[in-house]
Amino acid sequence: MSMETTAWTQLHTVMNAEHERRPFARDTLRRIGAFARPHRARIARFVVLGVVTALLAVATPVLAGLVVDTIVSGGDETAVVRLALLIALIAILEAALGIVSRRLSATLGEGLILDLRTAVFDHVQRMPVAFFTRTRTGALVSRLNNDVIGAQRAFSNTLSGVVSNLVTLLLTLVVMLTLSWQITLLALVLLPVFVIPARRMGRRMARMQREAATLNAAMGTRMTERFSAPGATLVKLFGRPEQESEEFAARARRVADIGIRTATAQSAFITALTLVSALALALVYGLGGYFALRGSLEAGAVVSLALLLTRLYAPLTALAGARVEVMSALVSFERVFEVLDLEPLIQDSPDAREIPDGPVSVEFSDVRFGYPSADKVSLASLEEVAALDSRGGAEVLRGISFRAEPGQTVALVGSSGAGKSTIASLLPRLYDVDGGAVHLGGVDVREVSARSLRETLGMVTQDGHLFHDTVRANLLLARPTATDDDLWDALRRSRLDGLVRALPDGLDTVVGERGYRLSGGERQRMTIARLLLARQRVVILDEATAHLDNTSEAAVQEALTEALEGRTAIVIAHRLSTVRAADRILVVEDGRIVEQGTHDELLAAEGRYAELYRTQFQQTANIGQLAAQEHTENDSILASLGRKA
């Protein structure tokens, strides 16, 4: 390794390390050991290879010095050839061991990345919905990428580097002191001139890099928001393209300015350290040559000392930054463990039960609930705030009790924010109740296994979310073992088979981000097809037709009629047709059920439902009647025009 390369390495280490002045956390080290334990055989082989490589690295300069001494002393040509062949053999061994070491390093590092990523991914999947509503997706993804890779470097780079550099340093010092203790001490005196500027300049450039990273992250966030389908639509409708471009260009210019300053500082620093390196070599050749001419040092020793100089500075500078590298790796591990330590609020009971076969009833018994505060479900670093909001826990449901018999449809109506969607979210255990109980088939949902709950209960929301994947993949989420015939049957029953057959690739057509290549009604029918495919016995419809026009609503309603047949259903409704078809209607206001009964019973009671009916449902009905009347009048006009023609 040349002195210039050593300078670059030291600079890179300081720039990219986290300068955390904290003690080693014993618990963190213990947990790192737990992750490393399955890879201990590879780690041992990796360390041994590092030691052998260090021995070979020191052997080459010594052999080179022997070659020079043999030549100067007029020795045997055969001896020179043998030494040269030995140097060549060592070079071949170094190359071979380098490849083996790199493969071991990659295997070890990638294995650790795999373990950490799967552990974090599996853990995050068990987090409650409240966690995802507060967490910035980019910050969470960064834990699975940047921090996991930073932790991996502790094994693939830092571990081997510390071991091999330590062995190389000790061997080099012993050999150099044996050859000339005076030159060795002078070389060590020059070390601070080499290391101190690297650390000072490295910190300065690290600040510039962090600023550039922050600006790049801001640009990335801006591009992600503006380039998504809804974001692009919003910008086109209300945005000012010129201002958007100016704001983006301003950040990009700042990044460019930082890049220029960083490149200039790097160049000046490397030039200065290369000069120091040249001066160090000049010292070895000058002082060593002086001693050689006086007969107190062999010529070959001068050559060996010059070659060993880089073997001395490289490990010394690397070890000087080893603590920083280790602390950086520990920070990455701690950030990963921070996510793993966040306990999911929703967990399977140790003796979780299955929901009995057959029709399933739904029962809420004096249910009380308040949304958890941020400090119970999230991390400040994932929300990118200084401190988590500790507010929360205020009751939004106050003693909810009702029962839906198997096969019945119960509708929830009420003002916006009354608690209807909250009631629906407690059935699939998106949240757990604070008081009372929710029962499915007579079993408390907190005692039901997650698998049994998924197989029993399905939900269609007003969002109708689809993944950026094929029609087939989006449907198979409901039942991975479904055949193509099953998929087409579900599409037919949801009134979508004609549309999908007309798509360019049929079932293998990609629907786009969040399904934006489909209309709102088509997305909703796709989620209903998913529901039909899953064959769940309890269905929750959370305003599934809220944002659809009359034509789309009619198609979705037709699909829903078949989807609800024979199933127990909880329907959050704002359309008259859905409400009137319900076996029982619950009026929810301020987290309480204030009325319940059939449509006719509640109208006769002249209470809150009657008021909602007159202001909300009747208005919807009138709009539908006007549309039908207009359609009839248009048909009459067209018929009249036809007769006149």
Side-chain angles (χ1 to χ4, degrees):
M1 184 185 292
S2 69
M3 297 295 282
E4 184 174 346
T5 304
T6 303
W8 276 109
T9 303
Q10 172 67 6
L11 182 62
H12 177 80
T13 297
V14 180
M15 284 176 61
N16 291 281
E18 297 275 356
H19 291 280
E20 299 276 348
R21 299 299 179 186
R22 66 172 87 176
F24 287 95
R26 289 185 178 180
D27 185 57
T28 301
L29 294 174
R30 180 183 57 78
R31 297 180 67 179
I32 292 171
F35 269 99
R37 195 168 295 118
H39 308 280
R40 56 184 179 273
R42 290 195 186 98
I43 293 173
R45 290 197 295 271
F46 194 36
V47 170
V48 170
L49 275 177
V51 173
V52 174
T53 303
L55 290 168
L56 294 175
V58 175
T60 301
V62 175
L63 292 173
L66 291 176
V67 170
V68 172
D69 286 339
T70 303
I71 294 171
V72 171
S73 64
D76 186 11
E77 296 89 342
T78 308
V80 174
V81 172
R82 281 200 300 267
L83 288 170
L85 288 173
L86 187 55
I87 292 173
L89 179 61
I90 289 174
I92 294 170
L93 280 174
E94 279 190 289
L97 289 176
I99 295 172
V100 175
S101 178
R102 184 67 190 93
R103 179 172 176 79
L104 266 177
S105 171
T107 305
L108 177 61
E110 294 302 326
L112 187 70
I113 286 178
L114 176 63
D115 292 346
L116 285 173
R117 277 184 177 159
T118 51
V120 175
F121 186 86
D122 292 346
H123 186 78
V124 168
Q125 289 216 104
R126 294 190 289 113
M127 298 305 294
V129 170
F131 171 81
F132 298 98
T133 60
R134 307 194 66 94
T135 297
R136 289 193 64 173
T137 306
L140 186 57
V141 171
S142 177
R143 298 294 170 98
L144 278 164
N145 289 328
N146 300 338
D147 289 316
V148 167
I149 292 173
Q152 170 258 341
R153 288 197 190 103
F155 288 91
S156 61
N157 293 346
T158 307
L159 176 66
S160 65
V162 168
V163 173
S164 61
N165 284 326
L166 192 59
V167 174
T168 302
L169 177 63
L170 292 174
L171 287 173
T172 303
L173 275 174
V174 169
V175 174
M176 288 186 71
L177 287 169
T178 302
L179 294 174
S180 174
W181 63 269
Q182 299 96 330
I183 295 176
T184 304
L185 292 179
L186 282 173
L188 290 174
V189 168
L190 286 174
L191 182 66
V193 180
F194 188 81
V195 174
I196 293 173
R199 299 184 69 83
R200 295 186 62 182
M201 184 65 73
R203 291 191 186 100
R204 178 185 169 191
M205 284 190 279
R207 286 193 296 270
M208 289 191 286
Q209 278 200 340
R210 281 193 289 271
E211 184 181 354
T214 301
L215 291 169
N216 278 319
M219 286 193 295
T221 300
R222 196 175 189 87
M223 286 188 288
T224 301
E225 290 178 342
R226 267 62 175 179
F227 292 169
S228 66
T233 303
L234 187 63
V235 169
K236 288 184 181 298
L237 292 175
F238 300 104
R240 289 158 291 183
E242 297 80 7
Q243 183 176 345
E244 291 279 338
S245 184
E246 287 175 6
E247 290 177 359
F248 183 84
R251 287 190 174 94
R253 275 193 295 271
R254 286 176 63 189
V255 173
D257 291 341
I258 291 170
I260 293 170
R261 297 205 315 269
T262 302
T264 304
Q266 284 177 345
S267 179
F269 171 75
I270 297 302
T271 301
L273 288 188
T274 303
L275 177 60
V276 173
S277 304
L279 293 175
L281 281 172
L283 171 67
V284 171
Y285 284 125
L287 190 57
Y290 173 77
F291 287 149
L293 289 173
R294 294 192 58 184
S296 58
L297 189 65
E298 297 292 336
V302 177
V303 174
S304 294
L305 285 167
L307 293 173
L308 286 167
L309 185 65
T310 55
R311 303 296 199 274
L312 178 68
Y313 274 27
L316 271 174
T317 52
L319 288 171
R323 181 184 181 280
V324 180
E325 286 186 350
V326 170
M327 294 309 301
S328 177
L330 281 177
V331 169
S332 295
F333 270 112
E334 286 174 359
R335 284 167 60 83
V336 172
F337 293 151
E338 187 182 27
V339 176
L340 294 176
D341 287 341
L342 189 61
E343 285 293 327
L345 290 182
I346 311 297
Q347 299 189 55
D348 269 3
S349 170
D351 51 350
R353 302 162 56 189
E354 304 294 306
I355 295 174
D357 294 334
V360 179
S361 63
V362 172
E363 185 176 6
F364 279 63
S365 303
D366 193 27
V367 168
R368 297 181 178 276
F369 173 75
Y371 285 99
S373 58
D375 56 356
K376 293 182 179 178
V377 296
S378 186
L379 294 170
S381 57
L382 291 178
E383 291 191 29
E384 299 187 6
V385 295
L388 287 171
D389 189 353
S390 60
R391 294 174 298 173
E395 278 193 346
V396 294
L397 297 182
R398 302 172 175 85
I400 298 292
S401 296
F402 70 90
R403 180 178 173 85
E405 297 297 340
Q408 278 192 337
T409 296
V410 173
L412 305 178
V413 301
S415 305
S416 177
K420 305 184 297 295
S421 293
T422 304
I423 292 172
S425 68
L426 296 178
L427 265 170
R429 286 195 79 192
L430 300 182
Y431 299 93
D432 268 346
V433 301
D434 296 327
V438 178
H439 293 87
L440 278 176
V443 183
D444 192 322
V445 294
R446 290 169 294 188
E447 299 174 3
V448 175
S449 69
R451 182 187 58 80
S452 180
L453 197 59
R454 285 194 303 269
E455 292 175 352
T456 305
L457 186 144
M459 189 170 186
V460 177
T461 65
Q462 56 183 293
D463 180 37
H465 188 86
L466 298 174
F467 290 127
H468 184 86
D469 210 330
T470 63
V471 173
R472 183 193 308 278
N474 275 286
L475 291 176
L476 288 178
L477 283 171
R479 186 152 57 93
T481 58
T483 64
D484 279 8
D485 289 341
D486 294 330
L487 300 183
W488 285 116
D489 180 62
L491 289 170
R492 177 188 59 76
R493 293 165 65 194
S494 61
R495 314 302 188 264
L496 264 182
D497 57 326
L499 168 74
V500 175
R501 291 185 191 279
L503 292 174
D505 298 309
L507 289 171
D508 294 314
T509 302
V510 176
V511 298
E513 184 180 4
R514 299 181 67 183
Y516 270 103
R517 293 180 187 174
L518 304 177
S519 70
E522 290 163 353
R523 287 199 300 274
Q524 285 297 72
R525 279 181 280 163
M526 188 74 76
T527 60
I528 294 168
R530 211 156 46 192
L531 189 75
L532 290 167
L533 198 63
R535 301 172 184 170
Q536 290 142 323
R537 291 171 284 166
V538 179
V539 175
I540 302 171
L541 303 179
D542 189 356
E543 301 196 37
T545 61
H547 303 306
L548 304 180
D549 57 44
N550 289 331
T551 304
S552 297
E553 185 197 1
V556 171
Q557 198 66 52
E558 192 177 339
L560 283 174
T561 301
E562 183 161 352
L564 296 180
E565 188 176 348
R567 292 175 168 86
T568 309
I570 305 297
V571 180
I572 299 172
H574 75 299
R575 302 287 179 117
L576 179 63
S577 56
T578 307
V579 174
R580 296 189 66 168
D583 297 296
R584 194 162 192 79
I585 301 168
L586 308 179
V587 183
V588 183
E589 291 295 338
D590 193 29
R592 295 183 175 88
I593 297 176
V594 296
E595 289 182 311
Q596 56 181 305
T598 64
H599 171 72
D600 293 333
E601 289 171 350
L602 292 173
L603 279 182
E606 285 293 325
R608 177 60 178 155
Y609 179 80
E611 182 183 347
L612 285 170
Y613 176 77
R614 285 191 292 268
T615 60
Q616 183 179 359
F617 299 131
Q618 187 61 53
Q619 182 181 11
T620 303
N622 291 339
I623 291 172
Q625 290 171 1
L626 288 172
Q629 181 180 348
E630 183 180 352
H631 184 70
T632 303
E633 290 174 354
N634 288 340
D635 286 347
S636 300
I637 293 170
L638 289 172
S640 175
L641 290 173
R643 284 193 297 272
K644 289 180 180 180

